[in-house]
Amino acid sequence: MKRLTFLLVLFASCSFIANAQQKEDPRRYIDSAVHYMDLEQYSKADEYFMAALDKIDVLSADFCFYFGKNSYYMNKHTQSIDWLNKYLELKGSRGQFSKETLSLLELAEEAFRNNRGTTSSADVNSKFFYLNTIKCDSDDLITCPVCKGDDVITTKNRFGETLYKTCPYSHNGVLTCVEFNLLIQGNLKPKNK
């Protein structure tokens, strides 16, 4: 009996390790991409962004910003515009990178207009644009990425005072699967007050 229990535990451990190895964490690739982008090695960063893109199931706003920024520096203006706009869809004008995003977006749009005849379309598939959803049951509750499950959003005003605001999307810090999918597509309307 002990031997059977030991074998079952061993088998379960091996299965867990195998599954963990198959599902690589895309954050490793994103962190490496941002590192290379900071070193102004944009082509190397792009390789890591593309590897991360293949492994991502749910798109984060930060990824959109970094990928859009790197695309701008690689003169992929159409791609840059798409991803920077996606960041703004997800975060709006109050996101951590919103000001820089708006600046980059203006530069990318100007460069696109100036090079309209020579610019090719984005070379990244559009699996995250307008069709981005996760598969889940309609009864599943998901922690709201906007308020991180607190149902309250805190910000600082220009005097350093902390301001508190009820999350406009979640109910007690969670979203239904349908609401979450609408949020990551940029289509979730704020709840009524």
Side-chain angles (χ1 to χ4, degrees), residues 54-184:
D54 287 337
K55 296 174 183 347
I56 292 174
D57 291 326
V58 177
L59 190 61
S60 75
D62 289 355
F63 178 85
C64 295
F65 167 74
Y66 289 125
F67 190 53
K69 181 178 181 178
N70 194 67
S71 298
Y72 169 75
Y73 288 124
M74 292 186 66
N75 294 319
K76 296 180 178 180
H77 299 118
T78 305
Q79 180 172 299
S80 177
I81 291 166
D82 288 344
W83 287 93
L84 292 172
N85 276 322
K86 188 64 176 173
Y87 174 83
L88 291 174
E89 283 179 30
L90 295 171
K91 284 294 189 178
S93 62
R94 297 184 183 255
Q96 177 182 0
F97 303 113
S98 292
K99 285 183 182 177
E100 188 175 357
T101 299
L102 291 169
S103 268
L104 285 168
L105 193 54
E106 187 175 319
L107 293 170
E109 288 171 344
E110 182 179 337
F112 173 76
R113 283 190 298 273
N114 292 337
N115 300 319
R116 193 173 300 195
T118 60
T119 305
S120 62
S121 62
D123 58 359
V124 174
N125 66 36
S126 61
K127 77 176 186 178
F128 289 114
F129 292 97
Y130 313 112
L131 302 175
N132 190 26
T133 59
I134 61 168
K135 293 180 183 165
C136 54
D137 293 331
S138 59
D139 296 337
D140 288 349
L141 294 178
I142 300 166
T143 301
C144 176
V146 176
C147 67
K148 297 179 178 56
D150 294 332
D151 203 34
V152 174
I153 299 171
T154 59
T155 56
K156 300 265 186 199
N157 67 11
R158 66 180 120 188
F159 304 112
E161 298 169 329
T162 304
L163 304 174
Y164 300 93
K165 177 178 139 184
T166 303
C167 181
Y169 301 108
S170 72
H171 301 281
N172 297 323
V174 294
L175 301 169
T176 65
C177 179
V178 171
E179 290 171 331
F180 182 79
N181 283 330
L182 287 171
L183 178 70
I184 61 177

